[in-house]
Amino acid sequence: LQGRYEILKGHLRRIKLGPTVDIRRLARGTPMFSGAELAAQVNESAIIATMRNKEFVDQEDLEEARDKIRWGRAKKSAVVDERDRRITAYHEAGHALIQALEKDADPVHKVSIIPRGPAGGATFSLPERDRMVYTKGYLLATMRVMFGGRIAEQVFFNEVSSGAASDIKQASEIARRMVREWGMGENVGFIYFGEDENKAGMIDLGMRDYSDKTADMIDTEIKRIVDTSYETARKIMVENRDKVEAIAKALLKFETITGEEVNALIRG
């Protein structure tokens, strides 16, 4: 985090900044960005500010540049079917609600239903620090946030869409690594069942270092973690249905809302 802060600070000296720019907030919002990507963000923000006929670059320009680099250009002119737009709004509202209420999750930064890249919308987090290790509480909270979109579709539309594909993939990968690599499976224990790095590049003959019974136990534990997290997220959603409605309606009206606005809507 401190390294990104210093890199951004150095690049930002080359352009005229507005009074709203918060460099530390920008650094928090760019986890895993390389030095080249941070430089590209600053350059892109200057182009965006110029196209908007501004005399300086402000926070909005820098965040739009970051989002463009990470997820692609915003497709503000795209024509979206109204039902699809509503489903996307409730999907993202579901993510936002769980993320705001989960104490172990990263804070909500902003939520948008403006199509960007292959996504119809997105909920952006703002990590408070760089993580060198992942606690079990953080991983479970992250999974519950990922489930929020699909659950909102079920609760409010009695339907599901392909919009949760990336969420399903990421949540499944987290659960697998929790059990197979990080010893976080309650019924499996403190044993490593991941790939043997010493065998990398060797011909895969379909052999593994554990029995079929153990493989079944691992699969059962992975599914238990996923199912339990899903049900916990669903319970949160049902108990806070009115708050999801409020967030979704705000998204349908304004298209993008900040994390502060999400929290204000949750407070009523």
Side-chain angles (χ1 to χ4, degrees):
L1 175 60
Q2 186 60 31
R4 293 197 304 276
Y5 173 83
E6 295 297 337
I7 292 172
L8 280 167
K9 188 176 179 180
H11 287 302
L12 289 170
R13 290 195 184 102
R14 300 185 286 106
I15 61 178
K16 187 176 181 180
L17 298 178
T20 64
V21 173
D22 183 341
I23 302 177
R24 188 158 298 278
R25 186 177 178 88
L26 291 170
R28 285 174 58 197
T30 50
M32 308 304 292
F33 265 43
S34 66
E37 288 172 322
L38 293 172
Q41 177 186 357
V42 174
N43 291 336
E44 184 65 33
S45 69
I47 294 172
I48 292 171
T50 300
M51 292 177 66
R52 293 172 173 173
N53 296 317
K54 293 182 178 179
E55 296 181 356
F56 52 77
V57 172
D58 60 20
Q59 189 83 4
E60 180 185 5
D61 302 322
L62 285 156
E63 291 189 356
E64 173 60 29
R66 176 204 58 205
D67 296 345
K68 179 183 176 183
I69 291 169
R70 179 177 285 174
W71 290 286
R73 185 184 298 276
K75 302 174 183 176
K76 294 186 178 181
S77 60
V79 179
V80 181
D81 176 81
E82 184 57 29
R83 178 171 170 79
D84 289 348
R85 188 169 178 269
R86 284 179 53 78
I87 291 174
T88 299
Y90 279 86
H91 181 106
E92 297 306 331
H95 283 312
L97 174 89
I98 304 293
Q99 187 148 14
L101 295 182
E102 281 285 349
K103 65 181 180 62
D104 290 324
D106 288 324
V108 181
H109 174 44
K110 68 177 179 179
V111 191
S112 176
I113 59 169
I114 296 174
R116 189 182 290 275
T123 299
F124 306 88
S125 63
L126 192 65
E128 295 177 329
R129 59 183 175 84
D130 287 348
R131 284 183 169 81
M132 303 302 292
V133 296
Y134 301 100
T135 65
K136 186 176 181 179
Y138 172 78
L139 293 168
L140 292 174
T142 300
M143 289 176 64
R144 290 191 282 268
V145 172
M146 292 172 179
F147 295 143
R150 165 59 63 85
I151 293 169
E153 294 177 8
Q154 292 176 316
V155 170
F156 292 95
F157 295 92
N158 194 30
E159 181 64 281
V160 295
S161 76
S162 60
S166 177
D167 300 322
I168 295 170
K169 182 178 180 180
Q170 292 180 61
S172 300
E173 179 63 18
I174 289 173
R176 288 193 190 99
R177 299 193 72 179
M178 287 176 69
V179 175
R180 296 182 60 188
E181 299 179 28
W182 298 330
M184 295 181 182
E186 294 177 6
N187 300 319
V188 175
F190 197 70
I191 304 173
Y192 180 79
F193 293 107
E195 300 296 329
D196 188 344
E197 296 179 0
N198 294 324
K199 295 181 181 178
M202 297 177 64
I203 297 176
D204 183 6
L205 300 178
M207 299 177 66
R208 56 176 181 250
D209 297 329
Y210 47 89
S211 67
D212 289 343
K213 181 178 179 180
T214 299
D216 288 341
M217 184 171 63
I218 291 170
D219 290 342
T220 299
E221 182 67 0
I222 291 171
K223 190 172 188 307
R224 184 192 69 79
I225 289 174
V226 170
D227 289 349
T228 302
S229 298
Y230 193 95
E231 287 308 313
T232 300
R234 185 178 179 84
K235 184 173 184 291
I236 294 171
M237 185 80 61
V238 171
E239 291 176 350
N240 295 276
R241 183 184 178 112
D242 58 328
K243 298 177 177 63
V244 182
E245 289 263 20
I247 296 169
K249 287 177 180 178
L251 284 169
L252 289 168
K253 182 175 182 179
F254 300 106
E255 294 192 313
T256 298
I257 58 177
T258 66
E260 290 82 0
E261 289 165 341
V262 168
N263 289 321
L265 288 165
I266 289 174
R267 290 194 301 269

